[in-house]
Amino acid sequence: MPQDAAQETLRTTRQGAPGALTAGPLTAGALAAGALAAGVDHDVPCVLDRCRALVRPALEEAVGRLHPWVGEMAAYSFGWCEVGGAPAVASGGKGVRQALAVLGAEAAGAPERAGVAAAVAVELVHTFSLLHDDIMDGDGDRRGRPTVWKAYGTGPAVLAGDALFALAVETLAAEPGGSGAVRTLSRALGDLVRGQADDLLFADRPWTGPERVRPDEYRTMAEHKTGALLGCAAALGAVLGGAGPETVAALDRAGRHLGVAFQIVDDVLGIWGDPRVTGKPVHGDLREGKKTFPVLVALGAPMGGRIAGLLESGDAPETAATLIEEAGGRSAALAEARRHITAVETALADVPSTARAAEELRSLLRYLVRRDV
């Protein structure tokens, strides 16, 4: 199979088992578009712009309540300023999670403003998690700039993360019905911590033998680390929008399945993706020895021992990528991603909402799988 990532794509097929995926030219977008509901996407950038414009004043007001130095670090992490407080020219994030919160409120039949506090809280928590993740992972850059711990120091970055977490809880607690929202956020944070802990521990476990990481453990880790906060974003908007428990649970399920799908698609791109699109070197995840879903599946195949030897030595990542594909790691990952994306659609079918709110939510979820978050 050619290894030129620029010629690869993920595509659905009408042949074979229902919902099967085949490995052809690789773009995450084809996977998302084929797996979620058919139809023309709403203009997702416009949806994101609308939600950011709605949420930004409240987010700035919340950050303005922090200690000035801590507030500067928070503003830097959002892309609003440079070190020292000068206005930034760098762009911030896309605001996907805050958009999910606003759309979650609208899907529950509430006006968009009902989701603003939820959006602020989720954006604060997401940024808190990035500050701490960058420290744990030793990442020195994010979105083309030094990470907060590199710019300000490790201790200050930890402090800023803690402040954002506390501010998120305060924001929700001040809302009518805030106690239920705080409980929803607390459950998601507990799962996020469990997922992060498992991910860190996976790195120290062997490639082979009874202690190796199994694919089902990875699914659980991905749901917790990536899916919990996505599900929480949509669910929080619904909670503050007055939705019933069934709607809240359905939105949470949709986000969790989406998180697993997103993580597995990212794993596939981390081995076979086009570096001009991913911004990562070819076979980057293999060079770093990451225990990703395609790798874990392949390690269970008859040639798993040979693959493990290559991964342990760090030699010949090109050969390892070929063997992982021959062992079924890539095809199994694509099938697993599709299964979770289909589960997203099933969960959304249980959400009573207007046609516009439902389609915008579906469009945003498609966007999440085919674009970097």
Side-chain angles (χ1 to χ4, degrees), residues 108-144:
E112 59 181 12
R113 290 212 60 83
V116 169
V120 169
V122 169
E123 196 69 10
L124 292 170
V125 166
H126 174 55
T127 305
F128 141 73
S129 72
L130 295 181
L131 294 182
H132 287 193
D133 282 356
D134 287 341
I135 294 169
M136 287 185 282
D137 296 340
D139 290 337
D141 293 286
R142 180 174 291 281
R143 298 179 185 137

Side-chain angles (χ1 to χ4, degrees), residues 63-353:
V63 170
R65 299 200 300 270
L66 296 173
H67 182 284
W69 183 46
V70 176
E72 180 191 314
M73 287 187 281
Y76 177 86
S77 67
F78 287 121
W80 301 343
C81 75
E82 304 293 351
V83 175
V89 295
S91 61
K94 298 179 180 71
V96 167
R97 288 162 187 81
Q98 55 187 278
L100 281 173
V102 172
L103 294 179
E106 291 180 326
E112 59 181 12
R113 290 212 60 83
V116 169
V120 169
V122 169
E123 196 69 10
L124 292 170
V125 166
H126 174 55
T127 305
F128 141 73
S129 72
L130 295 181
L131 294 182
H132 287 193
D133 282 356
D134 287 341
I135 294 169
M136 287 185 282
D137 296 340
D139 290 337
D141 293 286
R142 180 174 291 281
R143 298 179 185 137
R145 298 199 302 169
T147 51
V148 174
W149 74 272
K150 274 289 187 180
Y152 290 88
T154 302
V158 171
L159 180 65
D162 292 345
L164 292 175
F165 168 69
L167 188 59
V169 175
E170 176 190 326
T171 298
L172 289 180
E175 291 294 304
S179 59
V182 169
R183 285 194 297 271
T184 299
L185 179 65
S186 296
R187 285 193 295 270
L189 284 172
D191 281 347
L192 189 153
V193 169
R194 281 188 282 272
Q196 183 68 42
D198 284 339
D199 194 31
L200 291 173
L201 290 171
F202 285 175
D204 295 326
R205 289 171 61 177
W207 291 103
T208 59
E211 296 302 315
R212 73 178 180 88
V213 181
R214 309 286 175 170
D216 60 335
E217 295 178 278
Y218 184 92
R219 290 185 199 97
T220 301
M221 181 280 294
E223 179 193 331
H224 288 161
K225 182 180 176 181
T226 307
L229 198 54
L230 292 173
C232 177
L236 272 182
V239 168
L240 295 184
E246 297 83 3
T247 296
V248 172
L251 288 168
D252 182 67
R253 281 198 309 276
R256 285 171 180 267
H257 282 295
L258 189 283
V260 178
F262 175 85
Q263 186 62 60
I264 292 175
V265 168
D266 194 58
D267 290 347
V268 173
L269 295 173
I271 299 175
W272 296 286
D274 182 349
R276 292 173 296 180
V277 176
T278 66
K280 301 176 182 179
V282 176
H283 309 134
D285 283 359
L286 297 181
R287 297 176 195 277
E288 296 178 22
K290 291 185 178 180
K291 293 183 174 72
T292 60
F293 192 86
V295 172
L296 299 178
V297 171
L299 289 173
M303 64 178 73
R306 184 181 174 193
I307 295 170
L310 289 171
L311 295 172
E312 287 172 351
S313 68
D315 296 332
E318 298 85 357
T319 302
T322 299
L323 292 178
I324 290 165
E325 184 163 2
E326 291 176 357
R330 176 175 169 174
S331 60
L334 304 187
E336 184 71 14
R338 182 174 179 94
R339 185 175 74 81
H340 285 281
I341 295 172
T342 301
V344 170
E345 184 67 18
T346 300
L348 291 179
D350 293 332
V351 178
S353 62

Side-chain angles (χ1 to χ4, degrees), residues 14 31-42 338 341 345 358-359 362-363 366:
R14 297 180 183 275
L31 172 63
L36 283 173
V40 178
D41 279 2
H42 279 252
R338 182 174 179 94
I341 295 172
E345 184 67 18
E359 187 51 39
R362 284 178 172 83
S363 294
R366 282 193 289 268

